[in-house]
Amino acid sequence: MTYKDWTVGCDNGLSCQAVALKPDGPWDDGLSVVVTRKAGLQAQPIVEISGFPAKLGRFRLLVDGKVTETGSLQTGAESITLKDATAVKVARALAKGTSLQLVDASGAKYGAASLSGVAAALRYVDSVQGRAGSKGAVIALGARKAAAKKAMIPILEVRKIAPSDMLPDASALVALSEGSPCAQERFGSTQDTAYSLGSGPDGAQSLVMLNCGAGAYNFSSGIYVGQRNAAGKWKFEPAKFDYGATGFSADSKIPLLVNADWDAATQTISSYSKGRGLGDCGSSESWVWDGTMFRLTDATVMGECRGSVDWIPVWRAEVKLLPR
């Protein structure tokens, strides 16, 4: 959800994050301001402010010119982190103002951020987390005692794979690419790659990331899983994903990931799609290989291309890697 100069979202565990967006035009003095709050009765907001020179030292936070908080940073510190009662106080002050300024002890300005929309964003968090109308809310305060919803995140139990040195050779990848739905989009410098997925019920398995085209800052990969038969021949099928990775259109025949990467240690494949070269909007996802398919473990989104690199988490799962 976007409210004027702030955007906000929550994940499946009801952990929420509100983010200040930069104004149109130069961003040289624009602060990054993020308010996060986890689910649960005891969780308190955290306010993080960054985007200023690392030589700040003593500082003051001003809301519409009035001092809201003061403090001191160690040399080289790149962010201000406010927690517990201090964070609640500052968050409520932000909601009542129009502009936040950061100044040093002498009054020199170190950056600013618009507060237009922050009240609505924090009220949204109160509502989603079940705090609205209670004493535990930040904005939507009420007379009833503090309350909060609970949400359980999924636990994915995945057995560790035993990597194999049996991988498809270049000729097998060439044959796969020639019959791929993205055969006409295979341009750019991206290489086809193959990785071991251990042994399946019928022999060695492999992950193949096939070059399916590239742009200025995004490259696309078609994701396949290969199975090696007793005769040493490889058969490839589009990889299965429990969520996402459906390609760029509803009729995509193979799953496509953008700027894909494989981490063998965690059995995780990831996608990082940038809305533009600055990396201030887009989406990212990760999936863990469970022996038969890829299962979503986390996802973040930033739908507004307005200078923020603090993408909002919208999904998470806990992964437990079991012994082989």
Side-chain angles (χ1 to χ4, degrees):
M1 299 289 290
T2 298
Y3 301 96
K4 298 181 180 179
D5 294 332
W6 281 70
T7 188
V8 61
C10 303
D11 66 17
N12 55 308
L14 300 185
S15 181
C16 299
Q17 180 171 302
V19 179
L21 302 171
K22 303 290 180 68
D24 294 332
W27 297 334
D28 294 344
D29 63 346
L31 293 172
S32 295
V33 186
V34 180
V35 182
T36 59
R37 193 175 194 180
K38 295 181 179 180
L41 194 59
Q42 304 303 318
Q44 294 296 327
I46 297 175
V47 179
E48 295 181 277
I49 302 169
S50 59
F52 52 83
K55 60 180 181 179
L56 180 57
R58 293 288 301 174
F59 69 85
R60 289 182 291 164
L61 293 176
L62 310 180
V63 174
D64 294 346
K66 296 180 180 180
V67 177
T68 299
E69 184 61 26
T70 63
S72 180
L73 293 178
Q74 294 182 349
T75 301
E78 297 181 349
S79 65
I80 297 168
T81 301
L82 307 174
K83 300 180 179 180
D84 302 324
T86 300
V88 173
K89 179 190 73 171
V90 170
R92 287 173 177 165
L94 298 182
K96 295 178 181 179
T98 60
S99 177
L100 172 70
Q101 282 193 330
L102 176 65
V103 302
D104 67 8
S106 68
K109 296 180 181 179
Y110 274 71
S114 170
L115 300 179
S116 179
V118 65
L122 296 181
R123 187 178 294 274
Y124 174 85
V125 173
D126 284 339
S127 177
V128 169
Q129 294 185 335
R131 306 182 197 274
S134 80
K135 295 178 181 178
V138 171
I139 304 301
L141 285 163
R144 65 188 178 95
K145 66 179 183 179
K149 294 179 181 178
K150 295 181 179 180
M152 299 294 293
I153 65 170
I155 298 176
L156 306 180
E157 293 188 342
V158 175
R159 196 162 300 279
K160 293 181 180 178
I161 62 175
S164 167
D165 58 2
M166 295 182 182
L167 293 173
D169 59 20
S171 62
L173 296 183
V174 168
L176 175 63
S177 67
E178 289 177 345
S180 169
C182 62
Q184 303 303 314
E185 285 76 39
R186 288 171 54 77
F187 50 84
S189 59
T190 306
Q191 300 295 314
D192 301 328
T193 53
Y195 305 92
S196 173
L197 290 179
S199 296
D202 300 316
Q205 293 180 304
S206 66
L207 163 68
V208 175
M209 297 195 294
L210 200 69
N211 173 11
C212 281
Y217 43 82
N218 286 325
F219 66 87
S220 301
S221 297
I223 310 301
Y224 290 85
V225 171
Q227 180 74 54
R228 187 176 186 270
N229 63 24
K233 299 292 185 180
W234 286 90
K235 180 181 180 181
F236 301 98
E237 297 287 347
K240 296 179 181 178
F241 290 78
D242 65 347
Y243 183 83
T246 56
F248 297 125
S249 64
D251 58 353
S252 292
K253 297 180 180 179
I254 57 174
L256 294 173
L257 299 185
V258 179
N259 300 326
D261 188 41
W262 168 250
D263 185 340
T266 60
Q267 299 176 201
T268 298
I269 192 170
S270 58
S271 178
Y272 172 52
S273 178
K274 296 192 290 185
R276 59 179 181 175
L278 293 174
D280 61 343
C281 54
S283 63
S284 68
E285 301 84 20
S286 295
W287 297 262
V288 65
W289 173 252
D290 72 354
T292 59
M293 68 185 303
F294 290 100
R295 301 170 68 184
L296 187 66
T297 60
D298 63 75
T300 66
V301 173
M302 176 50 70
E304 303 290 340
C305 299
R306 290 182 53 187
S308 177
V309 295
D310 298 295
W311 293 13
I312 297 174
V314 294
W315 178 266
R316 59 191 164 103
E318 179 184 349
V319 178
K320 290 186 176 181
L321 285 178
L322 304 178
R324 295 169 186 159

